[in-house]
Amino acid sequence: MIQKKSKYEILCACVDLVCERGIDLVPTYLEWFPIGCDCATFGEAGKSLFERLSAFTSPDHKCKDQSEFDRAWGAMLRHVAGKGEDIGNILAQMKRHGILLKDHWGEKFPKFSAPSPGLNQAQQTTEEYVDYSFLCPRSLPQSFERALTLAPTPGQREALLWALLAGLGSFCDTVRYNSRGHMMRTHLYYALIAPAASGKSIISTARKLFDTYNRALREKSAIEWKEFKELRKNTPPADRELLEQPISKSFFLPGDTTASALYASIRDNEGSGAIWESEIDTLTRSLKNEMGNFSDALRNNWGSEPITYNRKKDREMLYIEDAHFSVVLAGTEGQIPKFLQSAENGLFSRFAFGSLPLDLNWDDNYEREDVSPIIKELADYFSVTGQELNQARHNVKFTRQQYKWHSTFFSSALPETASLFGAPFSASVKRLGEMVFRVASILTIWERQEREGMIPFNVECTDDAFINALYLCERSLWESAGVFQLLPDADIKASKRDRERMLIYNSLPSTFTLDDMPLSMGKSSKYRLLDRWLIEGAIHKQGNSYTKAA
């Protein structure tokens, strides 16, 4: 459910925040007019807010007096006549000043609260387990609770839990759930964004929980290769080409790779595995490499769509029908724009995001207890139990009540976030809605496995698992909103042209001719701009002169 706040309330909160910090949000006319137009979409109620923002502008750019401000305000009202309420320009300018909404939700912005009738609080701190009630309101599988003891801070526990879910989502490749008539797998993409030296190493700790399984795959492959070489040695040269080479399996897929090498590894793994990198730049370099751009494969894999690869040389062709590998990454905010250059290509919306704050507290960790025995114990358990689960197919089914909770939450979240961040962000909301079912399926399977040992073909999702999944994805939704604001703005060029047109329009007198327009503009450019204004109804032509619309 959403505790809704109107756009006007959000605008007031933004102005309060800017004024508290004393920031000049409108240093030049190029910023002043568009933000004024934002305020003007709220009518006269926005005028006082705009006056507060304008108070911080340098004297060189301020209006000479109140009458000049009133005339400019009247022009802004005319410019936005008929348009709906908008706060896009002020949010974009706040972003350029380093003010991100995710850092200032508090009481100033809408918050989500997943449906939770009659929730029981998660297990509190004991000698063996840690408190995760802030993260999941219901109990987690015991092995998950045990794993969370490896993370010293709440933020790291959340990151470790997501990484563990992503790893198990690909590892347990016999688990399915029904999504709009299609049986889907449970693999996930997760990225932890945090400042340098702030605890991102928890991703590497989570990786170690799959070391036992990865080592078993590699050792088996090494034995098969040794036997193959021995067989080839004893085979007549004329028959050696008839021998079939063994495949090389590894749970961890390399991020520093070419496209053809990655596709071959995925094929050898029968579609499963995990790209697990503690530095996003590793994957960024591969995606920018001419031989390594596999962004389309990452997008296809998320929905278990076929991955195809065809090269003329050596008639090389690969077809992977049902890929389902996971992706777990960690990096800084500065690495995001290079990795996710736009929200338009769809890769951004396929990720769940988490973050860690900058930690300025010195950590005396010299005598901290060695956690390697716990890691080894858990890695062995996940390896053995996961392989047991993979012996049979498991279909997770959801109840009507669970579908109702899901629909209630996301049917409200979708329009609310679209109004705050724009339509491109809606893809993230929809895919996080899909992730709820994946996370709930993973939690259900491991909860039932620990409780019952034998799991039937059809498994009903538990309420505990579903509510925990809703809470996890709710938190990731706002993390995604923060990362979304770090992406390069695909509309920057267009918005800059709009501001330039506004500046030219407002610099002209109420009645003007072609000669009154800027000398730097060519004649054809002037006519194109005039035609645009005529179509928009911003001006009227009278002989050889033009008059601005009242």
Side-chain angles (χ1 to χ4, degrees), residues 175-241:
V175 179
R176 307 284 195 282
Y177 69 95
N178 189 320
S179 176
R180 300 175 179 86
H182 298 279
M183 299 308 294
M184 301 294 292
R185 294 181 182 269
T186 57
H187 53 294
L188 297 165
Y189 291 2
Y190 176 72
L192 175 63
I193 311 301
S198 58
K200 295 192 299 295
S201 61
I202 195 65
I203 292 299
S204 299
T205 301
R207 189 183 193 271
K208 295 176 182 178
L209 297 177
F210 298 92
D211 275 351
T212 299
Y213 179 61
N214 183 62
R215 192 181 307 111
L217 290 177
R218 294 180 65 85
E219 289 175 353
K220 182 181 179 182
S221 296
I223 293 172
E224 290 175 350
W225 270 100
K226 184 178 179 180
E227 293 174 348
F228 170 77
K229 290 178 181 178
E230 188 67 27
L231 177 62
R232 191 174 189 276
K233 182 179 177 181
N234 298 324
T235 301
D239 297 332
R240 288 177 182 174
E241 295 299 323

Side-chain angles (χ1 to χ4, degrees), residues 28-87:
T28 69
Y29 196 84
L30 286 178
E31 293 83 21
W32 188 76
F33 192 84
I35 288 180
C37 288
D38 270 9
C39 295
T41 61
F42 296 88
E44 289 302 320
K47 185 175 182 180
S48 61
L49 297 175
F50 187 48
E51 287 177 330
R52 291 176 61 193
L53 291 176
S54 301
F56 294 94
T57 307
S58 64
D60 294 337
H61 296 96
K62 278 187 177 181
C63 293
K64 296 178 182 178
D65 50 35
Q66 186 63 36
S67 61
E68 184 177 354
F69 182 90
D70 291 340
R71 286 196 299 274
W73 178 254
M76 294 170 188
L77 289 174
R78 290 192 296 273
H79 182 79
V80 301
K83 295 182 179 179
E85 295 177 348
D86 190 12
I87 55 176

Side-chain angles (χ1 to χ4, degrees), residues 308-436:
T308 58
Y309 179 90
N310 192 9
R311 291 295 181 269
K312 183 176 180 181
K313 184 179 179 181
D314 299 327
R315 301 179 66 86
E316 181 184 11
M317 182 171 182
L318 284 176
Y319 183 84
I320 306 170
E321 185 174 4
D322 193 16
H324 51 278
F325 60 89
S326 290
V327 180
V328 180
L329 305 171
T332 64
E333 289 186 352
Q335 294 172 332
I336 285 294
K338 298 176 184 177
F339 175 54
L340 300 168
Q341 298 180 5
S342 170
E344 297 297 327
N345 73 353
L347 187 56
F348 163 77
S349 62
R350 286 164 168 80
F351 274 87
F353 291 94
S355 67
L356 295 174
L358 177 62
D359 188 1
L360 298 177
N361 297 315
W362 180 256
D363 183 12
D364 290 318
N365 59 359
Y366 307 109
E367 297 182 2
R368 183 175 295 168
E369 184 180 353
D370 181 16
V371 296
S372 55
I374 301 176
I375 294 176
K376 178 67 167 56
E377 169 197 329
L378 287 169
D380 291 346
Y381 172 77
F382 287 129
S383 177
V384 172
T385 308
Q387 292 180 75
E388 289 177 358
L389 286 170
N390 285 342
Q391 298 301 311
R393 173 79 172 265
H394 308 292
N395 289 345
V396 179
K397 297 181 176 294
F398 303 96
T399 66
R400 289 186 178 181
Q401 181 61 62
Q402 291 163 0
Y403 281 124
K404 184 177 180 181
W405 288 338
H406 185 273
S407 177
T408 301
F409 177 70
F410 282 98
S411 62
S412 298
L414 189 59
E416 188 72 12
T417 52
S419 68
L420 283 172
F421 309 111
F425 188 70
S426 61
S428 291
V429 181
K430 291 178 180 179
R431 289 195 167 111
L432 274 168
E434 188 73 18
M435 289 184 217
V436 170

Side-chain angles (χ1 to χ4, degrees), residues 2 6 46 55 110 130 142 166 174 185 221 237 252 259 275 374 395 404 418 426 437 495-496 505 527:
I2 298 181
S6 67
V130 294
Q142 290 187 5
T174 59
R185 294 181 182 269
S221 296
F252 296 119
I275 297 177
I374 301 176
N395 289 345
K404 184 177 180 181
S426 61
F437 296 114
S495 62
K496 183 178 181 181
Y505 182 86
Y527 278 120

